[in-house]
Amino acid sequence: MWSLKIEDDSGDCTHLQLSREEYKIGRDETVAIRLIERNISRQHALIMRGDDGYAIADLGSYNGVFHNGLRVAATQHLAHGDLLQLGDYRITVCDDAIATTEQKFQAAQGRTLRVESKAAYDRLVVLVGPEPGQQFPLELDRILLGRGEECEICLPHSSVSRVHAEITRVQEDRYELVDKGSANGVRINGRALKNSFIDGRDVIELGDVALKFIPRGQVFHTNAEEGQRIAALAGSSPPPPLHSDQLSIKAKLLAAAFGGFSVLVVLMLTLSYQNQTQDARSIVTKATSLAADGDPHTAHMLLLNLKKEDQKNWRISIKKVEMEWAKSMIRAATLEKDRTKKAALLQEVVDAPLVPEEFHSLAEGSLKDLKSQSP
């Protein structure tokens, strides 16, 4: 029997035994596992049983599904002890047969089962930024992160504020990350947050610097798939055009940092990323211009052509355009006399995947008020 331990951001836990062939997860009232926070999509994810256990798939959610710190792009097989992150929820996967065996072993040995490893401490590993691969042990109860010399974790990068964030140990192996009023914000697994608990293999972005949280007892290896994700993170701020000699230098640096990549593979990834960035840049630039000229509707339609990775890389510019579009739609709904047309305008904002959460909530609240009113 398999089970899920579902924990919300306040630490409340729910345990669910899995007995069906599939479970839909989301905010919709019709799904089997309903999670009600705003950063959960109506139809967020699907857990399904296969021949060798369960697997999870993203149903096109806006904020994504993360498996052990990495965003799920296709169907992902689940194993005992895996950590899933959906919005503010953390879901631990448990194979009860393995868990029972572990408990019996621990009882027989009279001690806690430990994984032997040279890494005997929780730590942050630099993925993108100054000195990729550098490790910072989390040995203090309070740790400041920033580019200032007063910070225990010093990240000398122009996108990082002097005192950018703070990590506080709240339990032996549990930490809270708080934004200290930084200029460029804090993102955890791609989501902008002011404060959040961090857990195994979370990716933390401070400006354009990315770090990964690696728990004690685990060894961090970068495989080809994760290397591509890191390369995409490294391009979150579009680089200037590179000459052939610069490409060679960057390829060697990336290859050394990520390990297991040949220079040729990194060079191909870099060139491919630049071409994609140019296409995305032209779309975002055109959309920004249209919105500034008073045509947010055409701008909104243009942005829908962006790939999900491009939407992440250009999120700040996209947010500005989508704010203007959402404002115009909500304004039009306010002026509309026909209830059906008013509801359609609000519903369009609610369903738009790129609209900032505050406007999404505003439109949804107006839509609920409209439906509750007598015709």
Side-chain angles (χ1 to χ4, degrees):
M1 180 72 73
W2 289 71
S3 63
L4 302 176
K5 176 188 173 185
I6 304 172
E7 181 181 2
D8 61 22
D9 59 351
S10 64
D12 293 332
C13 293
T14 301
H15 293 266
L16 174 68
Q17 294 286 339
L18 300 180
S19 56
R20 305 181 190 174
E21 293 299 310
E22 65 176 43
Y23 293 82
K24 276 189 178 180
I25 305 175
R27 275 193 300 119
D28 196 283
E29 295 181 357
T30 63
V31 301
I33 302 176
R34 188 169 182 236
L35 306 178
I36 59 174
E37 293 297 330
R38 296 294 317 160
N39 48 25
I40 300 295
S41 298
R42 288 175 174 73
Q43 304 277 335
H44 199 109
L46 175 68
I47 290 180
M48 62 207 110
R49 179 164 29 205
D51 295 334
D52 55 349
Y54 282 88
I56 190 166
D58 191 336
L59 295 178
S61 66
Y62 183 59
N63 289 314
V65 175
F66 291 84
H67 173 262
N68 293 334
L70 294 178
R71 187 160 186 160
V72 173
T75 301
Q76 174 65 52
H77 177 73
L78 299 177
H80 173 68
D82 281 353
L83 174 68
L84 302 174
Q85 292 165 273
L86 286 73
D88 290 333
Y89 293 89
R90 298 178 182 274
I91 303 176
T92 305
V93 180
C94 180
D95 182 341
D96 294 341
I98 296 176
T100 301
T101 301
E102 289 177 352
Q103 290 169 1
K104 289 180 179 178
F105 176 83
Q106 292 167 15
Q109 297 297 316
R111 59 181 175 84
T112 301
L113 181 64
R114 295 185 183 274
V115 179
E116 294 298 325
S117 171
K118 294 181 181 178
Y121 46 81
D122 300 324
R123 63 211 188 275
L124 296 180
V125 179
V126 178
L127 301 181
V128 177
E131 299 187 47
Q134 183 179 10
Q135 299 191 31
F136 296 99
L138 303 180
E139 298 177 315
L140 303 176
D141 291 336
R142 175 182 174 273
I143 298 174
L144 292 176
L145 301 87
R147 73 170 190 273
E149 294 180 357
E150 67 269 33
C151 296
E152 287 79 14
I153 296 181
C154 184
L155 303 166
H157 193 279
S158 59
S159 67
V160 177
S161 297
R162 186 172 185 84
V163 177
H164 199 111
E166 181 181 52
I167 291 179
T168 303
R169 189 195 306 271
V170 293
Q171 293 178 9
E172 181 181 355
D173 57 351
R174 190 169 176 82
Y175 303 86
E176 183 180 25
L177 178 67
V178 177
D179 188 336
K180 300 293 286 184
S182 64
N184 292 317
V186 173
R187 294 179 296 280
I188 299 178
N189 298 327
R191 280 195 308 118
L193 296 168
K194 289 296 183 184
N195 63 284
S196 176
F197 291 110
I198 56 174
D199 210 332
R201 310 191 85 80
D202 279 349
V203 174
I204 301 162
E205 295 174 68
L206 310 178
D208 293 334
V209 174
L211 308 101
K212 192 159 192 170
F213 175 69
I214 305 298
R216 71 188 69 186
Q218 293 189 20
V219 179
F220 175 55
H221 292 297
T222 304
N223 56 26
E225 179 183 359
E226 186 161 27
Q228 294 182 41
R229 295 176 187 273
I230 295 170
L233 272 176
S236 57
S237 289
L242 298 178
H243 301 297
S244 58
D245 56 337
Q246 292 175 296
L247 284 173
S248 176
I249 293 170
K250 184 168 184 178
K252 291 176 183 177
L253 288 173
L254 288 172
F258 300 150
F261 273 125
S262 69
V263 172
L264 177 61
V265 172
V266 176
L267 179 58
M268 291 174 63
L269 285 173
T270 305
L271 290 172
S272 173
Y273 174 75
Q274 283 185 293
N275 291 334
Q276 293 171 5
T277 301
Q278 291 294 335
D279 293 339
R281 181 186 288 115
S282 63
I283 292 175
V284 174
T285 300
K286 180 64 174 176
T288 303
S289 177
L290 286 167
D293 291 340
D295 188 5
H297 301 284
T298 305
H300 167 74
M301 296 304 295
L302 270 177
L303 294 179
L304 295 179
N305 295 320
L306 289 173
K307 296 178 181 178
K308 283 192 174 181
E309 192 62 38
D310 291 329
Q311 293 172 9
K312 176 183 175 182
N313 293 339
W314 294 90
R315 54 185 170 269
I316 296 176
S317 298
I318 290 172
K319 181 177 180 179
K320 293 178 180 178
V321 174
E322 290 295 277
M323 282 174 59
E324 293 304 316
W325 176 78
K327 285 179 184 177
S328 68
M329 293 292 285
I330 294 172
R331 189 182 305 115
T334 303
L335 298 174
E336 180 60 57
K337 301 299 183 183
D338 186 281
R339 287 173 57 87
T340 302
K341 293 180 180 179
K342 184 190 292 284
L345 290 168
L346 293 171
Q347 188 65 54
E348 193 171 346
V349 178
V350 170
D351 294 336
L354 303 179
V355 167
E357 187 65 28
E358 57 267 30
F359 288 95
H360 182 283
S361 300
L362 179 61
E364 188 167 50
S366 299
L367 188 59
K368 285 182 179 179
D369 291 341
L370 180 64
K371 290 181 178 179
S372 66
Q373 298 170 4
S374 301

